């Protein structure tokens, strides 16, 4: 039966309550998908910021802003794990946060004004960013209810770092170019280290807990999907003004195939087994693994996708220039981004499963090694070469996987990236 205006879940007392946390086997709510949509726009804005200068400085600036966005998204992910996102006060807080994150995203392309320009936009960005962090902290503190350990953790991790972090970021915005970039990099690094260190649970603490492994894995899988969507958006940005041609058709096909290959590498080769591995852990061990493998080691996976999307945008914006190569910037973004993506999944798997997936690390090394060759190729050919190489590396991984499975014994186990425990069948 549908809900009516008189439904008690929409009464004022209900709107001020905190919903229950997810139980084992819980799944992501539709409201969280709605909340995530604002990050799609944010990612496109980061790509715009990085593409403006076509240089390392622009990429560095984009990484700082992307890191700030990632911190917000991951923080609210922890909150939604503690209390349902589509209920009561948490839902209201996420709606307000969505508005602020969208405002933040609008300012991203002008977050680093030229020397002598007004710092108004970067200050607007910072205001929205830190209000979101305060909203998150307040909601998490209330969601902790009578859990004294969790409340102490929230104070230490969510509230204590804010004054120093805000002071450094605001100083950078006011000082402006050319020092703003480096001050913001320092602020982001310091803030990340402080949050990581203060979030480590003390022995015997009952603070942070991952209540549902399936929810946790699905939550982070969704952000990977959003990142992959950015590569398709990058294609649209790159060809928005291009005439329909054979090169355009080829670029569209190659971009979709490359995005699909990234999807295959994560969702078919890793995601099912990762849920099983996380379910096998409990308590503080699960929290530690979830923190390292997901909260932190999923960031380079997302960065790899966004950097690759930047390379796609560079390639598709020069479809008509067949005489010149894609250049070093385009090659590093396209092939280097793919290398980071593969290596990022390797580091993630190392922390989650406890062993190195050398096929992933080797794939990352190969994609880095071919950058000089890619730089001299025309845009469409460069895109085709990277796509073909990624597909070839995935096929090689699959063949090695099958070879190892055929020879694995109960004593040695299977080293397949996509291996799942026989007991889960």
């Amino acid at each position: 039966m549908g809900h009516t205006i008189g439904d008690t879940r929409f009464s004022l007392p209900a709107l001020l309550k905190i919903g229950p946390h997810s139980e084992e086997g819980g799944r992501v709510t539709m409201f969280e998908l709605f909340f995530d949509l604002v990050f799609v726009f944010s990612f496109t804005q980061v790509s715009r910021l990085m593409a403006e200068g076509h240089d390392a400085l622009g990429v560095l600036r984009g990484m700082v802003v992307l890191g700030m966005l990632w911190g917000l998204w991951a923080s609210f992910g922890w909150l939604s794990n503690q209390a349902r996102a589509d209920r009561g006060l948490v839902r209201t807080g996420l709606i307000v946060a969505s508005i602020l994150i969208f405002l933040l995203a609008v300012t991203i392309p002008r977050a680093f004004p030229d020397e002598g320009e007004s710092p108004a936009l970067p200050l607007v960005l910072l205001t929205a960013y830190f209000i979101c962090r305060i909203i998150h902290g307040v909601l998490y503190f209330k969601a902790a209810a009578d859990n004294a350990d969790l409340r102490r953790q929230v104070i230490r991790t969510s509230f204590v770092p804010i004054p120093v972090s805000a002071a450094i970021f605001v100083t950078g915005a006011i000082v402006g170019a050319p020092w703003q970039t480096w001050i913001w990099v320092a602020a982001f690094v310091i803030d990340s280290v402080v949050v990581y260190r203060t979030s480590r649970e003390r022995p015997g603490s009952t603070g942070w807990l991952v209540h549902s492994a399936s929810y946790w894995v699905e939550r982070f899988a969704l952000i990977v999907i959003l990142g992959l969507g950015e590569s398709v958006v990058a294609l649209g940005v790159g060809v928005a003004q291009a005439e329909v041609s054979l090169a355009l058709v080829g670029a569209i096909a190659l971009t979709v195939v490359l995005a699909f290959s990234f999807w295959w590498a994560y969702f078919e080769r890793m995601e099912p087994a990762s849920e099983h591995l996380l379910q096998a852990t409990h308590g503080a061990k699960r929290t530690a693994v979830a923190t390292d493998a997901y909260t932190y080691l999923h960031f380079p996976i997302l960065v790899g996708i966004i950097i690759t999307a930047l390379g796609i945008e560079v390639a598709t914006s020069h479809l008509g220039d067949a005489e010149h190569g894609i250049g070093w910037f385009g090659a590093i973004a396209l092939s280097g981004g793919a290398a980071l993506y593969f290596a990022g999944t390797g580091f993630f798997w190392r922390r989650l499963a406890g062993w190195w997936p050398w096929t992933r690390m080797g794939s990352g090394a190969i994609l880095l090694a071919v950058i000089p060759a890619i730089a001299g190729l025309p845009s469409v050919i460069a895109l085709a070469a990277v796509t073909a190489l990624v597909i070839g590396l995935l096929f090689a991984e699959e063949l090695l996987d099958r070879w190892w499975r055929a020879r694995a014994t109960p004593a040695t186990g299977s080293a397949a990236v996509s291996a799942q425990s026989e007991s889960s069948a």
Side-chain angles (χ1 to χ4, degrees):
M1 182 175 179
H3 300 299
T4 65
I5 293 177
D7 195 315
T8 56
R9 293 200 308 177
F10 293 91
S11 64
L12 182 59
L15 292 175
L16 297 177
K17 289 183 178 179
I18 297 291
H21 61 67
S22 59
E23 299 292 346
E24 193 66 70
R27 293 294 179 181
V28 176
T29 65
M30 291 297 103
F31 182 77
E32 287 167 275
L33 296 179
F34 170 78
F35 174 72
D36 287 351
L37 288 178
V38 72
F39 285 91
V40 176
F41 177 57
S42 301
F43 294 159
T44 62
Q45 293 291 84
V46 170
S47 291
R48 282 186 59 192
L49 175 63
M50 293 190 297
E52 281 186 356
H54 276 213
D55 56 21
L57 185 63
V59 173
L60 180 63
R61 290 171 171 175
M63 290 302 96
V64 171
V65 177
L66 185 61
M68 295 166 70
L69 288 169
W70 174 260
L72 287 179
W73 182 89
S75 296
F76 281 107
W78 277 96
L79 172 63
S80 300
N81 155 78
Q82 180 65 29
R84 284 195 57 147
D86 61 345
R87 296 288 187 273
L89 192 59
V90 174
R91 178 176 57 189
T92 304
L94 289 181
I95 291 173
V96 176
S98 297
I99 297 170
L100 292 168
I101 293 167
F102 194 90
L103 175 62
L104 184 160
V106 169
T107 67
I108 287 175
R110 296 293 176 265
F112 296 86
D114 294 331
E115 191 171 355
E117 292 185 353
S118 170
L121 287 180
L123 289 175
V124 170
L125 182 154
L126 293 176
T127 300
Y129 171 69
F130 283 106
I131 291 177
C132 281
R133 287 182 60 168
I134 292 171
I135 290 173
H136 165 265
V138 170
L139 291 175
Y140 216 134
F141 188 83
K142 186 169 177 59
D146 297 328
N147 189 332
D149 281 346
L150 181 54
R151 286 198 164 193
R152 281 193 291 268
Q153 286 280 16
V154 171
I155 292 172
R156 291 172 59 221
T157 303
S158 298
F159 289 112
V160 171
I162 287 179
V164 174
S165 178
I168 301 175
F169 271 110
V170 169
T171 298
I174 294 174
V175 170
W179 295 105
Q180 180 189 349
T181 301
W182 306 109
I183 294 174
W184 277 29
V185 168
F188 174 70
V189 171
I190 292 171
D191 188 58
S192 300
V193 171
V194 170
V195 169
Y196 181 78
R197 293 297 301 171
T198 57
S199 67
R200 308 308 288 178
E201 291 203 65
R202 299 169 182 174
S205 172
T206 58
W208 314 122
L209 287 175
V210 175
H211 299 284
S212 170
S214 56
Y215 169 87
W216 194 254
V217 172
E218 184 181 10
R219 194 77 188 91
F220 280 80
L222 289 173
I223 199 67
V224 175
I225 283 289
L226 290 180
L228 291 175
E230 165 59 11
S231 59
V232 178
V233 172
L235 170 66
V237 172
V239 302
Q241 305 299 326
E243 296 182 0
V244 177
S245 63
L246 186 61
L248 175 61
V249 174
I252 291 173
L254 290 167
T255 298
V256 173
V257 171
L258 183 58
F260 173 76
S261 299
F262 277 23
W263 174 88
W264 182 273
Y266 183 90
F267 288 93
E268 286 293 317
R269 302 288 296 156
M270 283 188 162
E271 199 257 356
S274 63
E275 181 175 336
H276 175 74
L277 289 169
L278 193 61
Q279 282 178 336
T281 62
H282 302 279
K285 182 179 180 181
R286 175 185 287 186
T287 300
V289 171
T291 299
D292 295 340
Y294 286 91
T295 306
Y296 289 93
L297 292 178
H298 262 60
F299 181 56
I301 295 175
L302 179 65
V303 171
I305 295 172
I306 301 300
I307 295 292
T308 304
L310 175 62
I312 291 171
E313 184 176 343
V314 172
T316 54
S317 63
H318 296 86
L319 292 177
D321 189 4
E323 297 182 359
H324 299 89
I326 191 174
W328 281 99
F329 181 81
I332 292 173
L334 189 60
S335 194
L340 180 58
Y341 178 77
F342 274 86
T345 59
F347 284 112
F348 156 69
W349 193 256
R350 173 65 178 84
R351 180 64 181 93
L352 182 64
W355 49 266
W356 288 103
W358 293 111
T359 52
R360 288 297 168 93
M361 309 311 293
S363 296
I366 291 171
L367 286 162
L368 280 179
V370 301
I371 288 176
I374 298 296
L377 298 175
S379 296
V380 177
I381 304 301
L383 185 56
V386 171
T387 303
L389 184 55
V390 166
I391 293 173
L393 291 169
L394 286 174
F395 269 110
E397 180 180 276
E398 177 68 24
L399 291 174
L400 288 171
D401 186 338
R402 293 180 180 181
W403 178 86
W404 182 264
R405 282 176 181 271
R407 288 157 180 78
T409 66
T412 61
S414 174
V417 169
S418 59
Q420 296 189 55
S421 171
E422 295 296 330
S423 63
S424 67

